[in-house]
Amino acid sequence: MIVFVGGALIGLAVSLVVAQALPSRPKLGAALDRLGTTTAATDGGRRTLETRVASWVIQRLPAIPGFSIPEMDLALVGTTVHKFIYTKALWAVGGFTSMILMGLYVQILGILPFAIPAVFGLVAAATAWFLPDIFLKDKAAAARKEFVRCVAVYLELVAAERRSGKPPAIALENAAAIGKAWPFIRINQELTRSRYDHTQPWDALVALSKDISVPELGEAAKIVRLSGDDGASVYEALRSSGQGLRVKMLNEEHTRANKASERVTILISVLALIFGGVLMTPLILKIM
């Protein structure tokens, strides 16, 4: 009976996943609402499994901090919300399913009752649900650090373009087109979008800095805005801002290196104590 119940639970889970993948009837109300608008459908009229699962999960997420969506980190690393939620759901289902299968195996062997692995399955699902958040946070921190480093270089390039007599908007675009790293490509895409939208490029960079939580880019855009609005000479301001960013990053690297050296010193001291204990143990045992 326990094996039958476990198999039924697994079959129910598989059937729910397959049901989400099957095409459903189109909702005519939503289609009529979209008539006469310029907004294109995000799923192309046919929703994928990723979109279906992510939409279903998002609708049922509780409004608590642990279940919030880190939109700034996702915008920085270039991952969609649906893909992120779908990954979290896969991790949670995988953790729960693995514990259920282990529970069925130990139940067949008669080692443990099925209830204990089932409880551990809930714990594993909850733990696996938050693992993508940890991975995303680490990836976003590294990406944000690289973005700030590229902003320091970008400031130097914009200053050189302004010194050669280029207008502020052209200077921003030319400086972004020089670099081949992904932050330069991201800045160039935002500037291109602002040109087609007929908006000021520095306003677009300020909005981008808020979306990805990189205030250094916003500060650079505000400096160039002074040149565009008031015609002020911003060459020295750009150079000093870029130099300040480089000094700040260098100090952070020194701090990180000092912390690593302290950890190595503690580890060496512990190993020395262990080695001394190994050498002294035979002598102490002989004296005793």
Side-chain angles (χ1 to χ4, degrees), residues 267-282:
L267 179 60
I268 292 176
S269 301
V270 173
L271 291 177
L273 291 176
I274 295 174
F275 184 71
V278 171
L279 293 179
M280 295 297 295
T281 299

Side-chain angles (χ1 to χ4, degrees), residues 93-195:
V93 172
F96 181 76
T97 305
S98 61
M99 295 303 298
I100 291 297
L101 294 177
M102 186 180 299
L104 291 175
Y105 178 72
V106 297
Q107 179 63 32
I108 293 174
L109 297 179
I111 300 175
L112 290 174
F114 183 77
I116 296 178
V119 173
F120 279 106
L122 297 177
V123 177
T127 304
W129 171 266
F130 290 103
L131 285 179
D133 293 272
I134 299 175
F135 298 151
L136 175 64
K137 186 176 180 181
D138 295 339
K139 186 177 180 180
R144 192 168 284 112
K145 181 180 177 181
E146 183 179 358
F147 205 105
V148 173
R149 186 182 296 109
C150 290
V151 168
V153 179
Y154 182 64
L155 287 172
E156 295 286 347
L157 296 175
V158 174
E161 292 289 331
R162 287 293 295 143
R163 191 172 189 181
S164 63
K166 297 292 191 306
I170 302 300
L172 290 174
E173 294 182 2
N174 291 345
I178 293 175
K180 301 303 180 183
W182 69 267
F184 283 93
I185 296 175
R186 188 72 177 274
I187 294 174
N188 194 15
Q189 291 174 349
E190 197 67 27
L191 293 175
T192 303
R193 187 179 297 109
S194 69
R195 184 171 69 250

